[in-house]
Amino acid sequence: MIISAGRDDTSILIVLTARSLAPDLPISVVIRSEDNEALARQAGATTVINPVSFAGLLLAGSTQGSHIAEYMADLAAADGRVALNERPVTAEEIGRPLSSIATGLGLRIYRDGKPHGAWDDAASELRAGDVIVEIKPRRPRP
């Protein structure tokens, strides 16, 4: 479920209602005030997105180099050249390092609910049940 009600209090109330009706439903919510992010998580949101914080990351990235901000904007854009993808590890990938996946550039794995970066020892051998986060080229529009 995606929630963007325009007001944080309304969005949090929708999260509470949705969570009570569907305990296992993934819920993503837009929260505009950083002070309300923890409340949204407590209400049961799976993912909390703060567009103001994201804009701040783009702005801060631009101070480190114009290409960083450009890449982040490309990644976030619906029509950008690259996209993030989350998927389970395949049977063929088990035992291989994250760096060897062929579907994209492996950034992180989640094992038992915990994140491990591509540079962490855990990423040197993929296991059954791992979830891969990768960057992939976005398919060209027809």
PDB file of all heavy atoms in Angstrom, residues 4 49 68 94 102 117 135:
ATOM      1  N   SER A   4      -0.015   8.647   0.656  1.00  0.00           N
ATOM      2  CA  SER A   4       0.455  10.016   0.545  1.00  0.00           C
ATOM      3  C   SER A   4      -0.761  10.918   0.649  1.00  0.00           C
ATOM      4  O   SER A   4      -1.293  11.392  -0.352  1.00  0.00           O
ATOM      5  CB  SER A   4       1.192  10.233  -0.779  1.00  0.00           C
ATOM      6  OG  SER A   4       1.646  11.565  -0.866  1.00  0.00           O
ATOM      7  N   ILE A  49       9.038   7.518   3.692  1.00  0.00           N
ATOM      8  CA  ILE A  49       9.730   8.363   2.729  1.00  0.00           C
ATOM      9  C   ILE A  49       9.502   9.820   3.107  1.00  0.00           C
ATOM     10  O   ILE A  49       8.369  10.240   3.294  1.00  0.00           O
ATOM     11  CB  ILE A  49       9.199   8.144   1.288  1.00  0.00           C
ATOM     12  CG1 ILE A  49       9.236   6.668   0.906  1.00  0.00           C
ATOM     13  CG2 ILE A  49       9.932   9.024   0.291  1.00  0.00           C
ATOM     14  CD1 ILE A  49      10.608   6.083   0.776  1.00  0.00           C
ATOM     15  N   ILE A  68      27.305  13.218  -8.723  1.00  0.00           N
ATOM     16  CA  ILE A  68      26.627  12.451  -7.668  1.00  0.00           C
ATOM     17  C   ILE A  68      25.155  12.832  -7.615  1.00  0.00           C
ATOM     18  O   ILE A  68      24.272  11.972  -7.630  1.00  0.00           O
ATOM     19  CB  ILE A  68      27.309  12.662  -6.301  1.00  0.00           C
ATOM     20  CG1 ILE A  68      28.719  12.071  -6.332  1.00  0.00           C
ATOM     21  CG2 ILE A  68      26.476  12.057  -5.172  1.00  0.00           C
ATOM     22  CD1 ILE A  68      29.562  12.426  -5.124  1.00  0.00           C
ATOM     23  N   ILE A  94      23.337 -18.995  -5.669  1.00  0.00           N
ATOM     24  CA  ILE A  94      23.722 -19.460  -4.335  1.00  0.00           C
ATOM     25  C   ILE A  94      25.161 -19.954  -4.357  1.00  0.00           C
ATOM     26  O   ILE A  94      25.569 -20.699  -5.245  1.00  0.00           O
ATOM     27  CB  ILE A  94      22.753 -20.562  -3.838  1.00  0.00           C
ATOM     28  CG1 ILE A  94      21.370 -19.951  -3.624  1.00  0.00           C
ATOM     29  CG2 ILE A  94      23.267 -21.221  -2.562  1.00  0.00           C
ATOM     30  CD1 ILE A  94      20.282 -20.945  -3.307  1.00  0.00           C
ATOM     31  N   ALA A 102      24.512 -11.275 -12.633  1.00  0.00           N
ATOM     32  CA  ALA A 102      24.509 -10.828 -14.029  1.00  0.00           C
ATOM     33  C   ALA A 102      23.345  -9.905 -14.364  1.00  0.00           C
ATOM     34  O   ALA A 102      23.287  -9.365 -15.461  1.00  0.00           O
ATOM     35  CB  ALA A 102      24.482 -12.041 -14.957  1.00  0.00           C
ATOM     36  N   GLY A 117      26.382  -4.738   3.033  1.00  0.00           N
ATOM     37  CA  GLY A 117      26.866  -4.066   1.841  1.00  0.00           C
ATOM     38  C   GLY A 117      27.696  -4.983   0.972  1.00  0.00           C
ATOM     39  O   GLY A 117      28.178  -6.028   1.426  1.00  0.00           O
ATOM     40  N   ILE A 135      21.265  -2.257  -8.793  1.00  0.00           N
ATOM     41  CA  ILE A 135      20.961  -1.206  -9.761  1.00  0.00           C
ATOM     42  C   ILE A 135      20.979  -1.862 -11.133  1.00  0.00           C
ATOM     43  O   ILE A 135      21.918  -2.581 -11.474  1.00  0.00           O
ATOM     44  CB  ILE A 135      21.985  -0.055  -9.705  1.00  0.00           C
ATOM     45  CG1 ILE A 135      21.862   0.700  -8.392  1.00  0.00           C
ATOM     46  CG2 ILE A 135      21.784   0.889 -10.883  1.00  0.00           C
ATOM     47  CD1 ILE A 135      22.839   1.845  -8.253  1.00  0.00           C
TER      48      ILE A 135
END
